[in-house]
Amino acid sequence: MSEQKEVIKVEHLTIGYGESVLLKDISFSVMKGEIFAILGGSGSGKSTIIKHLTGLHKPINGKIFINGIDIVTADDFKLATLRKSFGILYQSGALFSSLTIEENIALPLLEYTTFPKETINSIAKIKLNTVGLGGYEKFMPYELSGGMKKRAALARALALNPEILFFDEPSAGLDPINSAKLDNLILKINNETGVTIVIVTHELESLFSVADRVIIVDKKCQCILDEGEPQSLKGNSKNEWVRNFLNRKYLG
Amino acid sequence: MVQENKTNYSPNGIAIKQESDILTLSGFDVNDLDEASFRDNFNYFKELLKAKKVKNLIIDIKNLGPGLKYNLSFIDACVSFCNAKCVKVQIINSSHDIDLLLKELDFIKTHTEVRVRHKTQKSPSALVSIGEGAIKFFNDIKSFLGFTGEITSAMIYSVLHPRKIQWKETLYYMEKTGADAVPIVFAVCFLTGAIIAYQGVVQMGRFGLSIFTSDLLGLAMTKELGALMTSMVCIGRAGSAFAAEIGTMQVSEEVDAMETMGLTTSRFLVVPKIIGLACVMPLLTIIADIAGILGGSISAVLKGGLSFPEFFSRTISAITFANVMEGVSKSIIFAILIAGIGCLRGYQADRDAKGVGRAATSSVVSGIFMIVVADGLLTLVFN
Ligand SMILES: Nc1ncnc2c1ncn2[C@@H]1O[C@H](COP(=O)(O)OP(=O)(O)O)[C@@H](O)[C@H]1O
Ligand SMILES: [Mg+2]
């Protein structure tokens, strides 16, 4: 990467719900334009990290900077402005079930832009084409298959040309073919637009095919076990568990 | 049957020994259980524990290897069962490997937790219960006030920016909670009117005053019962549906998605529901008034010997426009309360399938409570 600009910077972050701490004193940075993965067992707090990065929850301790703005202390207005530059794809897709696919994608555009209706519709159409769902504008979310729902949600996430895209286990519940399709789509979007991507995953397949860098979080030590490029961690991580896991030697 | 101080063997070779109130399980090193023997052994164990007054369970896991998976889960099941029955459990002779494994499985931790929880469940002192109840009540009020503030600001924003109101959604809710509710509101109020008029005719008829039933019915329906009965129907139909809808959106992360996209969910999810219900409930209330009077006229004519023209002319002269408006304006306030409570309960839903059901139930319970309280206060205000 030519320019090493930190888009997200996390310092000594401690997160959890109420009294119970999930991860303690973790620090990492995400560089501009890279695909950054968060790997870990279920319940280790990966989704919680995303919720903190997007400002939905306040941390117990520590700092989070996005483009240099401290989002922990930022007021609602600053946060709202910042969030317009986020796109997010949830585990379940989270399409709004009472709206058509087109209206789902149009919603953020209607809210944040003053484009006339025709422009908004054509943007929705273009975004749907990008994710390979041209022609499904008038469908309702429940009429689409799981993989299509995820891609429609991705189109919605792309609607405002975000700077940072968050993915929470995008391939959860997808068959290998559809999940490989989604991985290719993620790579393509990253290549074409240079958007920074933070992706939570537990699938090695997608990890090796998309991620530039990865952190591995663990529930027991409540910490980051290791951090680096997936391929090099596979060969020589300082942590034995990580090496075994990446080489699929983990039993159970 | 097992006799005291004797070792007995359960159906599949696990040794079970009982000394006074101590039961000892051992022999887990021999071979692994299979599905059938697991069930047999466990049933046998449960019966023993029920039949005898066992207070302590000692599990000897000498030579139990990590490979014996069914034995492990058998022990797990036994320990859980003992925890539920308040029997103390002790595990002895475990090797280092097994210790690690048990730790890995959170075995020790979960079981001690269960025991602690059980203790507190057994003897909740009255003071603690009252205190906890009070804290819950105040937290409830706190979140209610916070929510009220949020909704108020969303409503004000919507009034100032009517273009940003989700009109399509609002119309949808008007249809669902209004048009679709007409038959049930009509039926309920028709019967209510009939029942009240019947009582009126019977009771007042004894003094030869059955004609006054029309006054009673007209005023009761328009001032109170029309709005109240409509509210009850709307709590059951609309309030619970709102709670379930928002609760489901919580489960499927749709609410999170909206918040992350910077969309104020109160404006998108709550405002259309409140506006929708507040528009249709006054109309439903008028329908309810009419239905009640129609129902009452049937009773009055059949039982009280009045004629229809007599009854209606008397009713119409008894009701004033102000009476009708009293019920109608109450219904607007009730509508806001019902929609608000439904949405609040939806937001508070736990993020699992049961959470949605609980949210719907609690929206109905708190809805009824709020309406009755509000009706009392409003009646004071209007008189
Ligand atoms: N809203 C919440 N309130 C309390 N606990 C939660 C909440 N959301 C998640 N948790 C708990 O936090 C832990 C981590 O959850 P999560 O971040 O979703 O894990 P992951 O995404 O890595 O599977 C889980 O044990 C979960 O039960
Ligand atoms: Mg998760």
Side-chain angles (χ1 to χ4, degrees), chain A residues 47 91 168-169:
Chain A
S47 302
Q91 223 154 316
D168 191 352
E169 300 195 15

Side-chain angles (χ1 to χ4, degrees), chain A residues 90 92 95-96 103 111-112, chain B residues 168 252 254 260-262 267:
Chain A
Y90 281 94
S92 58
L95 291 170
F96 306 130
E103 286 166 338
E111 192 59 21
Y112 292 125
Chain B
K168 197 182 144 199
S252 62
E254 287 175 52
T260 337
M261 283 160 64
R267 199 149 55 71

Side-chain angles (χ1 to χ4, degrees), chain A residues 17 22 40-49 51 57 91 168-169 200, chain B residues 351:
Chain A
Y17 295 97
L22 284 173
S42 48
S44 56
K46 306 177 301 284
S47 302
T48 309
I49 295 181
K51 281 182 185 153
H57 283 293
Q91 223 154 316
D168 191 352
E169 300 195 15
V200 166
Chain B
R351 299 192 170 198

Side-chain angles (χ1 to χ4, degrees), chain A:
Chain A
M1 231 147 290
S2 53
E3 43 172 346
Q4 286 282 313
K5 191 173 160 258
E6 281 169 342
V7 178
I8 301 175
K9 193 173 157 121
V10 170
E11 284 178 344
H12 307 294
L13 188 68
T14 300
I15 56 177
Y17 295 97
E19 304 270 287
S20 68
V21 172
L22 284 173
L23 292 167
K24 219 184 263 170
D25 197 18
I26 58 169
S27 302
F28 60 87
S29 306
V30 181
M31 303 298 164
K32 190 170 174 55
E34 78 173 340
I35 301 184
F36 183 87
I38 300 171
L39 187 76
S42 48
S44 56
K46 306 177 301 284
S47 302
T48 309
I49 295 181
I50 298 278
K51 281 182 185 153
H52 281 78
L53 293 183
T54 51
L56 281 185
H57 283 293
K58 294 282 179 214
I60 295 173
N61 218 331
K63 289 199 161 76
I64 303 167
F65 296 97
I66 296 195
N67 284 331
I69 299 171
D70 181 349
I71 67 162
V72 178
T73 58
D75 55 33
D76 284 353
F77 179 74
K78 246 187 188 165
L79 205 57
T81 318
L82 198 62
R83 278 187 186 147
K84 285 177 209 168
S85 64
F86 294 167
I88 184 151
L89 175 57
Y90 281 94
Q91 223 154 316
S92 58
L95 291 170
F96 306 130
S97 40
S98 60
L99 304 177
T100 65
I101 300 302
E102 188 180 38
E103 286 166 338
N104 259 286
I105 298 167
L107 196 60
L109 291 163
L110 280 170
E111 192 59 21
Y112 292 125
T113 67
T114 49
F115 291 140
K117 206 169 164 19
E118 297 73 35
T119 319
I120 288 178
N121 285 348
S122 79
I123 293 177
K125 203 172 239 163
I126 292 168
K127 299 295 177 191
L128 276 175
N129 269 318
T130 311
V131 299
L133 280 180
Y136 286 93
E137 286 83 358
K138 297 282 181 258
F139 279 61
M140 297 302 287
Y142 63 81
E143 293 174 305
L144 301 190
S145 73
M148 287 153 93
K149 257 184 228 165
K150 295 262 168 79
R151 279 183 283 147
L154 179 54
R156 184 182 66 190
L158 292 172
L160 289 171
N161 294 329
E163 252 181 85
I164 311 172
L165 265 177
F166 295 95
F167 291 88
D168 191 352
E169 300 195 15
S171 42
L174 294 188
D175 58 89
I177 295 172
N178 267 308
S179 100
K181 248 191 202 167
L182 198 62
D183 287 344
N184 286 336
L185 198 56
I186 292 169
L187 276 176
K188 184 181 120 186
I189 288 163
N190 178 251
N191 273 335
E192 284 175 0
T193 63
V195 58
T196 308
I197 293 177
V198 178
I199 178 170
V200 166
T201 183
H202 55 223
E203 288 184 24
L204 296 181
E205 210 86 46
S206 32
L207 177 73
F208 288 119
S209 64
V210 304
D212 294 318
R213 239 151 34 87
V214 60
I215 56 171
I216 295 131
V217 290
D218 183 65
K219 185 151 97 177
K220 282 219 188 68
C221 83
Q222 303 184 329
C223 66
I224 296 179
L225 286 179
D226 208 348
E227 165 172 11
E229 290 167 21
Q231 282 300 339
S232 75
L233 286 185
K234 189 177 176 179
N236 43 29
S237 163
K238 56 186 192 293
N239 187 302
E240 192 192 343
W241 189 90
V242 171
R243 271 200 319 275
N244 284 340
F245 182 75
L246 294 181
N247 288 300
R248 291 175 182 280
K249 272 194 204 144
Y250 183 70
L251 301 172

